Amino acid sequence: IYNGIENSSTSIDGKYFAFISAIKSIDLEDVKPLFVTEAENFITLFPNSVHTSTVILWLALIEEEEEKFHSSYMHFRKILSLYPKSEHLAFALYRTGLTQTEQFNEYETAVSTFRKFLIRFSSDTLAAAAQLNIAQIADSKLEDWVQAVSEYQTFADTYPMDPNAVAGLMRLG
């Protein structure tokens, strides 16, 4: 244990990852640029490390915070295309759909992304939110009322215990 961080890995990428994790845990704005620099270095040095998709995810989330949505989106897409076995695949795909909806106004593309999510990750904790997003896009963005009713019904039937199920049913009328 070094400064409270357990490092079970003796590999250089494992040690560097522990270093980056330590920098990330320092919640100071002055440290964020150092973290970004070190994270980018890690990705360059260790593109095939088991830790790389995690580092890319961290960068994507920082870029979202800083409203650098195109860059964040590209990092999520990088996880999807280059790290197909990543533990962050479901989250990256979901966030891609959110960005397409909320930042790029690409509603049809977002619906397609959320449908892919539901096919690949139907039991994920974000599955209900993906289905609800499809319904809300059909309702308020595409104004396709027939599709919206169908999507809200699917949401209510599939996720009846979700906190948003009642609101979804209320949209059905």
Side-chain angles (χ1 to χ4, degrees), residues 150-170:
S150 174
E151 299 299 346
Y152 280 122
Q153 188 65 59
T154 299
F155 174 71
D157 291 345
T158 309
Y159 308 101
M161 301 310 291
D162 187 275
N164 294 307
V166 173
L169 286 172
M170 297 300 288

Side-chain angles (χ1 to χ4, degrees), residues 8-71:
S8 59
S9 176
T10 58
S11 66
I12 189 71
D13 67 309
K15 291 178 181 179
Y16 198 4
F17 179 75
F19 169 68
I20 294 169
S21 296
I23 295 172
K24 183 181 177 299
S25 70
I26 301 171
D27 192 22
L28 296 172
E29 282 299 312
D30 293 345
V31 177
K32 195 179 287 186
L34 174 63
F35 168 76
V36 170
T37 299
E38 292 300 333
E40 290 170 346
N41 287 339
F42 181 91
I43 294 165
T44 300
L45 292 170
F46 306 105
N48 299 319
S49 169
V50 297
H51 305 294
T52 304
S53 68
T54 300
V55 175
I56 294 170
L57 177 69
W58 290 342
L59 285 174
L61 294 174
I62 285 174
E63 290 163 340
E64 272 188 347
E65 280 179 24
E66 296 175 350
E67 298 184 0
K68 297 177 181 175
F69 299 111
H70 284 89
S71 186

Side-chain angles (χ1 to χ4, degrees), residues 1-152:
I1 296 181
Y2 178 72
N3 284 344
I5 298 173
E6 185 175 333
N7 184 6
S8 59
S9 176
T10 58
S11 66
I12 189 71
D13 67 309
K15 291 178 181 179
Y16 198 4
F17 179 75
F19 169 68
I20 294 169
S21 296
I23 295 172
K24 183 181 177 299
S25 70
I26 301 171
D27 192 22
L28 296 172
E29 282 299 312
D30 293 345
V31 177
K32 195 179 287 186
L34 174 63
F35 168 76
V36 170
T37 299
E38 292 300 333
E40 290 170 346
N41 287 339
F42 181 91
I43 294 165
T44 300
L45 292 170
F46 306 105
N48 299 319
S49 169
V50 297
H51 305 294
T52 304
S53 68
T54 300
V55 175
I56 294 170
L57 177 69
W58 290 342
L59 285 174
L61 294 174
I62 285 174
E63 290 163 340
E64 272 188 347
E65 280 179 24
E66 296 175 350
E67 298 184 0
K68 297 177 181 175
F69 299 111
H70 284 89
S71 186
S72 175
Y73 177 82
M74 294 309 296
H75 276 103
F76 287 130
R77 297 291 305 163
K78 186 181 286 190
I79 293 170
L80 296 172
S81 62
L82 299 178
Y83 303 95
K85 295 182 181 181
S86 169
E87 65 186 295
H88 307 296
L89 209 59
F91 184 78
L93 185 58
Y94 179 80
R95 291 306 272 245
T96 298
L98 276 185
T99 302
Q100 291 164 334
T101 304
E102 297 171 358
Q103 306 306 323
F104 302 158
N105 300 327
E106 296 175 351
Y107 305 120
E108 290 89 357
T109 306
V111 167
S112 176
T113 299
F114 288 128
R115 289 199 192 288
K116 287 177 188 171
F117 179 93
L118 290 169
I119 290 167
R120 292 183 69 185
F121 305 106
S122 61
S123 62
D124 191 89
T125 57
L126 293 170
Q131 180 61 49
L132 182 58
N133 274 295
I134 292 170
Q136 290 172 333
I137 292 168
D139 184 1
S140 63
K141 303 299 183 186
L142 301 177
E143 297 182 352
D144 182 343
W145 316 123
V146 173
Q147 188 64 36
V149 167
S150 174
E151 299 299 346
Y152 280 122

